[in-house]
Amino acid sequence: MPSLNQRVRRAFQRPGAPVVSYVIIALCVLGYLLQLVVPGFTSLMQFHSAYVGTFFLAGPESGFSGLIPFEPWRAVTYGFVHSTLGVLPLHLLLNMYTLWIFGTILEPMLGRGRFITLYVFGLVGGALGVYLLSPQTAVIGASGALFAMMGALLVMQRRLGGQTTQLLVLLAINFFYGFFAGGVSWQAHLGGLVVGLLSGLILAETRQPKDRTLRIVYFVVLGVVMVVLFAIAPGMLWQR
């Protein structure tokens, strides 16, 4: 079996373009343009714990009771809008550049279906990190999914015998930067990273065609765990 490093090189040499990555980049650019011209579009797309808190909490004891209706899709849509502060869209450009780098590696390697699964799970993982650790915070940006991609690649490299030093250093720099930079949600980074590490383990251990059913089962279990964490967080954390 070829090493992961060889597979990475082959990923760049394959004729097929990483279509999903390009589509996500295009959607994020479109989202940014809509933020500039449509009043309230950012608020419509962003994630905040209050958007799901009203579903799991009921009655006057709920800290978020009656604020806003349940809108679970925001755990994904927040990743398609970015900061519009400043003359240049630096937040968007940095995230899209990172997506392009890792998307051109991971999408040809995993296939479009598994890449989409990883990306969506990473977005939801980022939202879950904010939900658990900073429930009063509104977040936007694709960073949760990007950290999931880096985490998944790190695990797959290690499981398949590839070199991980450079990737680990890059991941550490980007993660700890979030603790010192203003306006950066390290909670979303952490949530996406944890989900990415778990997803990478699943993908590495179920990479053979015969493992497809097992891979689906593992991702379903991971999804159920994430939903349960969304459900129990208000009672176990927020109300303590």
Side-chain angles (χ1 to χ4, degrees), residues 62-228:
S62 167
F64 295 113
S65 180
L67 288 182
I68 359 186
F70 178 53
E71 298 178 357
W73 55 84
R74 291 175 181 264
V76 173
T77 59
Y78 81 99
F80 295 91
V81 289
H82 291 78
S83 173
T84 56
L85 299 177
V87 178
L88 296 176
L90 295 179
H91 187 206
L92 174 69
L93 291 175
L94 179 60
N95 278 355
M96 293 306 97
Y97 177 66
T98 305
L99 172 57
W100 178 76
I101 290 176
F102 288 97
T104 54
I105 298 174
L106 282 168
E107 186 179 342
M109 183 189 306
L110 298 175
R112 293 172 184 170
R114 281 175 285 188
F115 180 76
I116 292 173
T117 301
L118 171 62
Y119 197 86
V120 172
F121 269 71
L123 284 177
V124 178
L128 180 59
V130 175
Y131 190 80
L132 295 176
L133 301 174
S134 185
Q136 300 289 348
T137 304
V139 294
I140 55 176
S143 298
L146 301 181
F147 271 84
M149 293 167 64
M150 288 187 281
L153 183 58
L154 177 66
V155 170
M156 289 187 289
Q157 287 270 33
R158 289 190 64 85
R159 299 292 287 188
L160 300 179
Q163 295 295 323
T164 60
T165 303
Q166 291 182 340
L167 179 58
L168 187 59
V169 170
L170 177 65
L171 181 56
I173 291 173
N174 280 274
F175 181 73
F176 287 106
Y177 172 77
F179 288 97
F180 304 101
V184 176
S185 175
W186 63 266
Q187 297 90 345
H189 295 176
L190 178 60
L193 176 60
V194 170
V195 171
L197 293 172
L198 294 173
S199 298
L201 181 61
I202 293 172
L203 293 168
E205 297 300 321
T206 61
R207 59 188 182 277
Q208 302 299 331
K210 63 181 179 64
D211 298 324
R212 181 176 182 273
T213 300
L214 186 60
R215 180 170 60 249
I216 293 173
V217 170
Y218 283 152
F219 272 111
V220 168
V221 171
L222 179 57
V224 169
V225 170
M226 293 167 72
V227 171
V228 170

